[in-house]
Amino acid sequence: MKLQRHGILAGIALTAVVALSACGSDNNAPSGTSSSASGSAAANCATGTLNAQGSSAQKNAMAEWIKAYQQQCSGVTINYEPSGSGAGIQAFIAGTADFAGSDSALKDDEQPKADAKCVGGKAIHLPMVIGPIAVVYNVPGVDNLQLKPATIAQIFAGKVTKWDDAAIKADNPSAKLPATPIQAVHRSDESGTTDNFTNFLTKTAEKDWTFGKSKAWKAPGGSGAKGSDGVASAVKQANGAIGYVEMSFADNSGLNSAKVGNGAGEFVELTPESAGKTIAGATVTGEGDDLKMSVDYSTKEAGAYPIVLVTYEIVCGKGLAADKLPLVKGFLGYAASTDGQSTLTELGYAPLPDSVRAKVETAVKNLS
């Protein structure tokens, strides 16, 4: 299945650093007041500068949110560097990021270090972006590839090395598969995308995937590329290549995306709707305003696409610097709003289910 380009993506520059300085409709709006642009709901505007980094999976969402927020609010500069989830967490711990984007929750040894940056409080997880993970491939003449989790695991573990292997044929009995060697592409940097992808393989194909769940790629062989855009580019350039990227990057690159087998035995096409069915069954495992989520990769929900990740904004629930607090609340509040979430489908993401979105919105209002 080839994902269709959305026109809105063509207008978004995918740069290493998203840095947008605001010019808005209310040049004298004091910190914490609301101002709105024509046709949009009011944003809770504040002035100042935010520096954030982390997940490259949410880069396109961040670019859109920053653009929209700066159209409504003046005196704002928001810098978001898509350096990868691991780098974002380290920047937050080091005190150089006001919040971090991460496609996986803080590890047990990272949580206390992050908490130490929150005077009198703790670092919390705010799910903000649902990023379906596409299994993208470049095999000329093969447009409707179907893959079971076990087959995906065998490919990325280096056990299946040619496109006409019996395992792939079994998933695609009517397809004409070439004998082209498989070139598996993975992330070279530590990544929440890798963490979620390997977690999916661990939970659904444990006999074929013995390398566990990790932000760093552990399996031998294949080739690495930095960032989701790097993986997409590498797959596009190599005949016989396969990789894993968020739907937004698959969409933007025009790559084919495989239908993936779910727990009900269905091969499901990747769409925001099919990914949303999996997220609707996710559970919140954190306490209070800490909204960590657990995704069921073996979902048996009819029509559910099983490989999805949740990108969190990791921020101090309490203990935010006084000069940063109003802008953090204003910007993240916009991202969690119905207006902010409504832009995500066009960007290749799935919006938060409203029951989750409402909890995130409340948690942002409680930041102090």
Side-chain angles (χ1 to χ4, degrees), residues 20 23 50-51 64-65 74 90 113 116 118 122 147 150 165 200 219 243 259 273 284 295-296 330 338:
L20 299 174
C23 53
L50 291 181
N51 294 307
E64 181 65 18
W65 286 335
S74 63
Q90 292 308 310
K113 296 175 184 177
C118 306
K122 293 184 177 181
L147 296 173
D165 187 276
F200 164 75
K259 294 180 180 179
E273 293 74 22
V284 174
V295 176
D296 179 11
T338 52

Side-chain angles (χ1 to χ4, degrees), residues 17 20 29 35 41 56 76 183 187 238 290 300 309-310 316 333 347:
V17 179
L20 299 174
S35 62
S56 64
V76 177
Q183 300 187 50
R187 287 282 291 270
D290 185 20
K300 295 183 179 179
L309 63 77
V310 178
C316 290
L347 296 172

